[in-house]
Amino acid sequence: MPATVLTTLSTRPVPGLVENHAAYARRHGYAHRVVDSTHVWGPRQPVYFRYHAIYHHLAQIGEGSLLLVLDQFAVVYEPRALEETFAGIDALVSAQPDDDALCNTSMLLLRNTAEVREKLRQLVDHVSHWAVRILEDDEQPENSLVAHVFPPRPCGLALPNGVYTNVQASWPGGGYHDSIRGVRPLVASDAPTWRRTGPGNRWTPTLDYDFRGVQNLVDEAAALAAGERPPCLVLAEAAQPEGDELHLNPGARIAFVSIYTHHIASYGRIHEESFARYCLRHGYGYHLYRKVPEFANGLTGSWAKPHVMRRHLAEHEFLLWVDADIIAMNQSLHMEPLVEGRDALVGNDHTAWNMNSSVVGVRNTPAMHALVEDVCKQIENAPDRSSIHANGGDQTYFANAFRARGLITQAQVVDALSLDAPVIYATGESHFVHFPTQYTPQRAASMHAWNQRSLARDADG
């Protein structure tokens, strides 16, 4: 009997995801069904609904047939036939990449046999107790519940036939984005990972997880299916622009400064295209360095921020540092409403910091020159600059200088959405979009996808 592909959705999927599942089913003559639980309210009821739906659909297919369950985080990457891939296997779920005891529930493979149906019934029963909070450990996530009934297979362990079944594209401790094209798994997923953390050893998902990163996998799988290079590879291999510097509108009232080195050029070039387009549109200045300039006193990367600001502050009325992992999304928005009446401008951080140094703006006044000079000296005297985040990174020293001058108030600090919205909160209406804490290939792919949306927005306008 032909297999069935079951798409389960608890959130609105990224564009192309459901079609990715459907195209795979059509390719092999499988049935395709979609179960949408977005109408189910509550933190646990959608999970309960999902497993009832899986139980329902497994019982509907032919005895001995395979059911491939995919959720909104899973993309069919290498469209292998199920019967050949899972010959002799009745049930399979992969583990999280950093914990072999937890399942990556984005993909489940189930064969309709009496034994598997009974196991699934037990899982449904287990989930029901969890949903009404009467389990002994009722704080455990779905990933742990499934592992009680279907022990997960380590994600880095291929099947005896050499096939990797479900590879997680990224997780807190690393990422497969650099090697996933060599692994060629049946499914690539980008789901939140769970772990115990904090004083209470509580279960928490990745705090800065953005499910729209799945779009990178959808686009990559589509490119491979068409015989094309994945977008992130095209970006990484693109020719470096000529020269070490770019200076646009040097006499502008408002200007931006930034740096990216060859290590991050795959996404630094996207930042450059985006901000050059934005500044040319509005007449803003833009000073970009494609390597750390000599006047930065031997500092590397983000540690050179205040030194580049010091170099150009006297040339403009208002100067803003902007990190190279930021794009100007809604390019119709102006900077004037944000800088008007302010001597300094920063955004509130999306985590526990009360300011973020990804965008730092200062007015050309003696007081702000002194602030920038203060940050330069603090960084030069820092005991450890061995990594971007050593001692809290450059953000610590900008925060010190702002706090010492009483500048961390509503008069200078705007909300995290008005200036550079972190990608987990951003929309197509966001002014700037920031892509923090991502690995370089993932960040390049994400920034490319969002920049394409920005370009499309300009074309439509």
Side-chain angles (χ1 to χ4, degrees):
M1 299 290 292
T4 296
V5 178
L6 180 65
T7 300
T8 62
L9 304 173
S10 61
T11 60
R12 185 176 61 187
V14 300
L17 179 122
V18 175
E19 176 54 30
N20 169 271
H21 298 179
Y24 171 65
R26 286 194 304 269
R27 178 187 181 109
H28 294 288
Y30 304 150
H32 179 230
R33 305 286 183 265
V34 178
V35 172
D36 187 340
S37 64
T38 57
H39 67 289
V40 181
W41 183 86
R44 299 191 175 192
Q45 285 69 26
V47 178
Y48 188 37
F49 177 88
R50 180 188 192 224
Y51 286 96
H52 271 287
I54 295 171
Y55 189 28
H56 170 80
H57 281 276
L58 181 66
Q60 300 302 309
I61 65 176
E63 188 74 19
S65 294
L66 290 172
L67 179 71
L68 178 66
V69 183
L70 304 173
D71 70 4
Q72 66 275 0
F73 308 125
V75 175
V76 177
Y77 193 87
E78 182 73 15
R80 307 171 187 274
L82 293 177
E83 297 85 351
E84 299 171 8
T85 302
F86 298 103
I89 297 175
D90 288 347
L92 187 142
V93 58
S94 295
Q96 280 192 180
D98 54 354
D99 191 339
D100 287 346
L102 291 179
C103 291
N104 176 349
T105 58
S106 292
M107 189 208 89
L108 290 82
L109 188 283
L110 303 170
R111 191 180 297 277
N112 186 18
T113 68
E115 182 179 357
V116 174
R117 289 195 301 272
E118 173 56 21
K119 287 184 177 180
L120 190 56
R121 185 204 63 78
Q122 293 173 17
L123 176 57
V124 170
D125 189 55
H126 199 55
V127 173
S128 70
H129 286 72
W130 170 80
V132 296
R133 298 180 183 273
I134 59 175
L135 283 181
E136 182 177 347
D137 178 8
D138 66 3
E139 292 304 319
Q140 61 188 298
E142 173 190 354
N143 313 61
S144 178
L145 298 173
V146 176
H148 286 300
V149 181
F150 296 105
R153 182 183 184 85
C155 71
L157 181 63
L159 296 177
N161 58 15
V163 174
Y164 289 85
T165 54
N166 180 13
V167 168
Q168 176 81 2
S170 58
W171 64 90
Y176 266 126
H177 266 92
D178 285 325
S179 59
I180 195 169
R181 286 166 295 279
V183 172
R184 293 277 181 162
L186 169 68
V187 170
S189 58
D190 194 359
T193 54
W194 289 77
R195 57 187 172 183
R196 288 188 182 273
T197 187
N201 201 29
R202 294 179 178 274
W203 286 106
T204 59
T206 311
L207 296 179
D208 55 0
Y209 171 74
D210 177 20
F211 82 92
R212 290 169 299 187
V214 177
Q215 188 69 60
N216 303 337
L217 297 176
V218 171
D219 294 345
E220 183 162 321
L224 292 171
E228 300 171 355
R229 300 283 282 167
C232 60
L233 281 188
V234 174
L235 295 167
E237 296 166 357
Q240 175 77 10
E242 292 185 7
D244 294 333
E245 302 176 13
L246 173 67
H247 299 279
L248 301 177
N249 298 327
R253 291 181 55 246
I254 298 172
F256 297 87
V257 293
S258 191
I259 298 172
Y260 70 81
T261 64
H262 70 279
H263 305 93
I264 60 170
S266 58
Y267 66 81
R269 286 193 289 266
I270 303 170
H271 159 85
E272 177 180 344
E273 187 283 330
S274 175
F275 267 84
R277 179 161 46 95
Y278 180 64
C279 291
L280 290 172
R281 176 173 182 162
H282 295 287
Y284 302 142
Y286 181 45
H287 303 282
L288 174 74
Y289 293 87
R290 301 186 184 107
K291 69 175 186 178
V292 179
E294 292 183 2
F295 61 76
N297 295 343
L299 298 171
T300 59
S302 60
W303 296 106
K305 287 182 187 181
H307 294 73
V308 178
M309 294 175 70
R310 179 172 64 184
R311 175 76 169 220
H312 293 286
L313 179 54
E315 302 167 9
H316 307 277
E317 290 183 25
F318 204 96
L319 184 74
L320 298 104
W321 165 271
V322 57
D323 279 358
D325 59 353
I326 295 176
I327 66 167
M329 179 64 198
N330 183 352
Q331 300 223 344
S332 68
L333 297 177
H334 297 257
M335 290 303 302
E336 283 79 1
L338 284 170
V339 305
E340 186 67 32
R342 288 189 167 100
D343 282 349
L345 171 67
V346 292
N348 209 321
D349 194 71
H350 69 287
T351 61
W353 290 80
N354 50 25
M355 62 164 281
N356 191 302
S357 66
S358 56
V359 179
V360 180
V362 290
R363 190 172 294 280
N364 184 3
T365 67
M368 292 300 101
H369 278 272
L371 182 150
V372 172
E373 188 64 36
D374 182 9
V375 180
C376 288
K377 290 180 178 178
Q378 286 191 52
I379 286 179
E380 289 171 1
N381 295 326
D384 183 10
R385 297 191 301 269
S386 59
S387 69
I388 292 174
H389 300 295
N391 296 325
D394 66 272
Q395 189 158 287
T396 295
Y397 302 101
F398 275 101
N400 288 345
F402 269 67
R403 189 179 298 108
R405 292 162 174 77
L407 295 176
I408 301 182
T409 72
Q410 56 80 33
Q412 290 77 223
V413 183
V414 298
D415 60 87
L417 304 181
S418 292
L419 190 56
D420 59 322
V423 67
I424 58 174
Y425 303 128
T427 71
E429 298 299 316
S430 297
H431 194 161
F432 301 156
V433 179
H434 186 200
F435 299 80
T437 69
Q438 296 183 3
Y439 291 88
T440 295
Q442 179 189 15
R443 184 178 277 153
S446 298
M447 290 178 65
H448 171 72
W450 280 79
N451 196 44
Q452 291 301 111
R453 294 175 62 191
S454 175
L455 288 163
R457 181 191 180 93
D458 280 358
D460 290 342

